[in-house]
Amino acid sequence: MNQHPLFTIVTVSFNCVSLIEQTMDSVIRQSFKDWEYIVIDGGSTDGTANLIRSNASSLSFWCSEPDGGIYEGMNKGIARAHGKWILFLNAGDTLADERTLEQVAPYAQENAADVLYGDILISRNGKPFLKVAEEPRNKHRMYFCHQAAFTRTSLLRAQPFDTRFRFSADLYSFKSLYLSGHIFRHVPVTVAHYDTNGVSNTRRVEGLRDNMRVIRCLDKGIDRIKFLCKLSFVIGWAKLRGKA
């Protein structure tokens, strides 16, 4: 296995025995082979660790031990990564098809960007639906799914995910990179099939509150006030919708 691959793929898991295999298979089956794969499990007790172990020959590193949650697991992956670019593919998510990394590789081999982000597929009524990523701006929410974003590993090694934010550390990280002038580039590739049952969707109100904490840390002046007012409205609407 290449000691300095182009891509590092990191999957963080916990008690997801019914999901982890499809995620690992989607990486292992890639036509482009200049990658390493890291799986960080949070000490699962449902058989997840056994499934990971059965694929150990395809992994550059894996572990199964208690940790502080998703972003701490992602930071463990960063610390072990050797690739130039890193992608986080959560358990339950899959790369869109066998040629995904092959399609992204030409853009990753250039030196014109710090973050490469593509599009995702989500399921609606049992059918795949293409969601095209938005252009990064100073928004109150993620510009794109982190499952479709390749970031220079050196940037995340210098500034790992801030685990103060249980649901929005990825927003904090990408907003920080955007505000500090790093270059984002959209690549016309459908990168991942996104699992909409993840924690950011199932605990929506908590996630929005965490977004507000990010905004308080990073935004200033009138823009911050506008964002906080808008988020307060969205949270109220989400609560009402939950009671409907």
Side-chain angles (χ1 to χ4, degrees):
M1 186 174 291
N2 188 346
Q3 292 185 342
H4 301 284
L6 186 61
F7 299 118
T8 295
I9 315 298
V10 176
T11 291
V12 174
S13 64
F14 180 67
N15 284 346
C16 52
V17 67
S18 64
L19 300 173
I20 187 71
E21 190 167 21
Q22 64 184 11
T23 303
M24 291 190 294
D25 284 349
S26 77
V27 176
I28 294 168
R29 290 187 287 104
Q30 288 297 299
S31 58
F32 184 82
K33 299 301 182 183
D34 192 12
W35 52 262
E36 65 173 359
Y37 191 21
I38 295 171
V39 180
I40 307 294
D41 182 67
S44 294
T45 58
D46 67 342
T48 297
N50 290 333
L51 273 176
I52 299 170
R53 185 178 294 108
S54 69
N55 286 280
S57 62
S58 298
L59 308 177
S60 64
F61 176 80
W62 76 278
C63 66
S64 181
E65 59 191 19
D67 56 39
I70 293 173
Y71 294 110
E72 185 173 314
M74 291 164 76
N75 284 341
K76 287 182 183 179
I78 294 168
R80 291 280 182 172
H82 298 97
K84 183 176 181 180
W85 299 87
I86 190 166
L87 172 75
F88 298 94
L89 194 69
N90 295 351
D93 303 316
T94 58
L95 292 175
D97 62 44
E98 295 179 4
R99 296 185 59 246
T100 299
L101 296 183
E102 179 184 334
Q103 293 171 322
V104 175
Y107 303 97
Q109 289 161 347
E110 300 173 359
N111 292 310
D114 300 302
V115 179
L116 301 170
Y117 64 97
D119 308 322
I120 60 166
L121 292 169
I122 59 175
S123 293
R124 289 185 177 175
N125 300 319
K127 296 181 180 180
F129 173 81
L130 179 64
K131 184 175 181 180
V132 177
E134 300 178 30
E135 179 183 351
R137 290 177 298 195
N138 192 23
K139 295 185 176 183
H140 67 277
R141 56 185 170 80
M142 279 290 288
Y143 318 122
F144 39 71
C145 284
H146 72 237
Q147 291 88 340
F150 296 79
T151 307
R152 289 190 183 275
T153 305
S154 58
L155 293 176
L156 289 177
R157 189 172 290 119
Q159 184 179 315
F161 291 105
D162 190 330
T163 56
R164 291 178 299 166
F165 304 101
R166 291 187 60 206
F167 301 93
S168 302
D170 50 356
L171 172 62
Y172 183 87
S173 181
F174 285 115
K175 272 180 75 74
S176 296
L177 290 173
Y178 175 83
L179 292 172
S180 59
H182 287 86
I183 299 172
F184 289 66
R185 180 178 180 183
H186 178 253
V187 297
V189 177
T190 304
V191 175
H193 196 143
Y194 173 55
D195 178 16
T196 56
N197 293 311
V199 66
S200 61
N201 285 301
T202 58
R203 301 175 69 175
R204 184 66 176 155
V205 171
E206 292 168 276
L208 289 170
R209 285 186 177 136
D210 221 26
N211 283 6
M212 293 178 73
R213 294 179 62 219
V214 170
I215 291 162
R216 290 189 185 103
C217 287
L218 296 179
D219 289 301
K220 298 177 181 179
I222 191 67
D223 287 337
R224 170 177 164 176
I225 294 171
K226 286 179 180 179
F227 280 139
L228 293 178
C229 289
K230 184 175 181 180
L231 269 183
S232 295
F233 172 80
V234 172
I235 288 173
W237 177 83
K239 286 182 176 178
L240 288 174
R241 187 180 182 189
K243 293 178 181 178

